[in-house]
Amino acid sequence: MSDLRIPVGFEEALRPPVDVRRARLTPAVLGKPSSAPSGGARGQLMRVVRGAPEVMVKITGRTRDGGHLGRHLDYISRNGALVLEGEDGERLAGRDAVRALAEDWAAELAMEPGRRKDSPVSLSVVLSMPAGTEPHRLHDAARAFAAATFGGRFPYVFALHDEGRHPHVHLTVRMLGRDGERLNPRKADLQAWRQEFARTLRDRGVEAEATPRRARGVVRKADPIAIRKLRDRFTAGQADMPRVLASAWREAVEGSGVPPPWRQAIRSRQLAVRRAFVAEAVALQKSGDPEDRRFGAAIERFVRTLPLAETREDLLRRRIEAARDRTLYEQDSGPPTRGRAR
């Protein structure tokens, strides 16, 4: 298969959920968008089929003032125990240096003409990969990503957190740019950032992708961190069931059983994605090239492993029905009687 040929239907499966051309910061601020994924269409399809780890670029919050920024920098620097790295290799070691940076950024913001009182000081971003990624490669990729994305325009600092088996980088970027422009990313910018971070990881020998969920057969969004923590506390018996989760269970129990149009649209889209993969698998397995045929067989195996296209309500209903079936089975079985064969 030629790298220049887009596989049948593959462009739809890999189309980002937002149009990156609508990015507010790309290319005006962030520079020219990165070129095609490494290896072209075939390379990207291979990574998807191999299950390449997906990068995460997540905005975790904004600091409101110098004090808030200081506390945030204390956290990502572990109260000065970790060195914060900035542009051009600038390194801030110790709590005093971290606090001085927070004061400097807050002072710069205070002098902004026409500044609103609620204007945030900084943007907090987390860059991460699934467990098992080598920390030093993740750290170096984050360094390259920050330089390419914000270097020369928006001051920033970052630190690697390497506790346990899930290394990640905390990147803090000043909202006020050096030329007076404010950092205000859209969803399209986040997608562009994901693609750029994945590229910098691949440049360092780390298998990484930034594909939409539908390309991996996933339809449910991950719960926000706050919801996950509430759910974990409930599971551990330390709190009541979160209202969001209670509402979801109630809807699953009381639902009419008729899927709403949006759920049918999700299933139709997933069916179209899977058909595109199958069509490509069939085309490759008809090729005279043994490598193409092996690749086609790999795509076919990949499609067979895709998860069910189910929403959260579908999942809860399935669990309710399974619990009901177990209860009915136990009731029908009844208690063991005397003399029953063991």
Side-chain angles (χ1 to χ4, degrees):
M1 179 178 74
S2 171
D3 288 346
L4 299 177
R5 181 177 76 79
I6 300 296
V8 179
F10 188 57
E11 68 281 3
E12 173 60 23
L14 269 292
R15 180 179 55 80
V18 292
D19 186 352
V20 293
R21 293 173 299 181
R22 299 185 62 188
R24 175 175 291 150
L25 303 173
T26 309
V29 174
L30 301 184
K32 193 173 182 179
S34 58
S35 57
S38 305
R42 184 181 184 119
Q44 190 173 19
L45 180 55
M46 281 183 169
R47 288 191 295 273
V48 171
V49 170
R50 286 197 302 263
E54 292 287 325
V55 302
M56 187 190 81
V57 178
K58 186 173 185 177
I59 294 176
T60 56
R62 294 167 172 79
T63 60
R64 299 182 299 274
D65 51 42
H68 189 192
L69 173 61
R71 292 190 295 275
H72 173 70
L73 294 180
D74 280 343
Y75 167 71
I76 69 171
S77 68
R78 293 293 190 248
N79 291 318
L82 299 179
V83 174
L84 293 182
E85 185 176 337
E87 292 182 86
D88 303 321
E90 176 190 9
R91 298 171 70 82
L92 301 175
R95 201 167 185 179
D96 290 342
V98 170
R99 289 296 175 90
L101 176 67
E103 293 171 0
D104 288 345
W105 282 13
E108 288 277 354
L109 185 66
M111 293 187 294
E112 181 186 13
R115 173 184 176 268
R116 291 168 43 181
K117 288 186 177 180
D118 59 350
S119 295
V121 180
S122 69
L123 184 75
S124 306
V125 182
V126 171
L127 310 171
S128 73
M129 283 279 284
T133 305
E134 294 180 279
H136 72 279
R137 294 183 189 272
L138 177 69
H139 197 194
D140 192 45
R143 180 181 296 112
F145 165 80
T149 305
F150 305 109
R153 292 182 179 271
F154 295 91
Y156 61 85
V157 291
F158 62 94
L160 171 70
H161 285 194
D162 188 18
E163 302 91 345
R165 298 179 59 251
H166 190 191
H168 55 280
V169 170
H170 287 271
L171 172 64
T172 301
V173 188
R174 197 177 76 185
M175 299 288 287
L176 180 62
R178 289 193 172 92
D179 60 356
E181 190 163 8
R182 290 198 62 82
L183 184 64
N184 188 18
R186 294 177 175 177
K187 288 183 179 180
D189 294 296
L190 276 174
Q191 178 61 28
W193 296 358
R194 284 191 74 220
Q195 293 173 346
E196 177 66 17
F197 185 45
R199 186 190 64 78
T200 59
L201 282 162
R202 290 195 298 268
D203 287 347
R204 285 152 183 80
V206 179
E207 188 91 320
E209 256 303 335
T211 57
R213 293 191 308 274
R214 62 175 171 272
R216 308 185 301 278
V218 179
V219 299
R220 295 194 306 275
K221 291 183 179 180
D223 289 330
I225 294 176
I227 297 298
R228 290 205 303 271
K229 288 183 176 179
L230 287 172
R231 186 180 59 214
D232 292 343
R233 289 181 60 195
F234 165 69
T235 304
Q238 300 172 351
D240 295 332
M241 179 182 287
R243 283 180 295 179
V244 172
L245 185 56
S247 176
W249 276 105
R250 187 163 51 251
E251 289 178 5
V253 171
E254 300 174 354
S256 64
V258 179
W262 60 267
R263 194 182 305 162
Q264 186 58 43
I266 288 175
R267 291 173 178 169
S268 297
R269 185 168 60 226
Q270 273 300 303
L271 181 60
V273 168
R274 293 170 198 229
R275 282 175 174 167
F277 280 124
V278 170
E280 189 59 31
V282 170
L284 286 169
Q285 291 183 76
K286 291 180 179 178
S287 170
D289 186 339
E291 183 181 348
D292 280 353
R293 292 197 297 272
R294 285 193 294 271
F295 187 26
I299 295 174
E300 184 178 347
R301 290 193 297 272
F302 166 74
V303 174
R304 294 180 188 278
T305 65
L306 290 175
L308 292 172
E310 60 180 6
T311 62
R312 181 172 62 177
E313 185 174 343
D314 293 331
L315 175 63
L316 295 180
R317 281 187 174 179
R318 187 158 55 83
R319 289 178 177 175
I320 291 170
E321 291 172 1
R324 184 182 298 131
D325 290 343
R326 283 196 303 270
T327 301
L328 291 174
Y329 174 78
E330 292 169 358
Q331 290 174 349
D332 290 342
S333 300
T337 59
R338 202 168 184 178
R340 179 179 293 180
R342 294 184 180 180

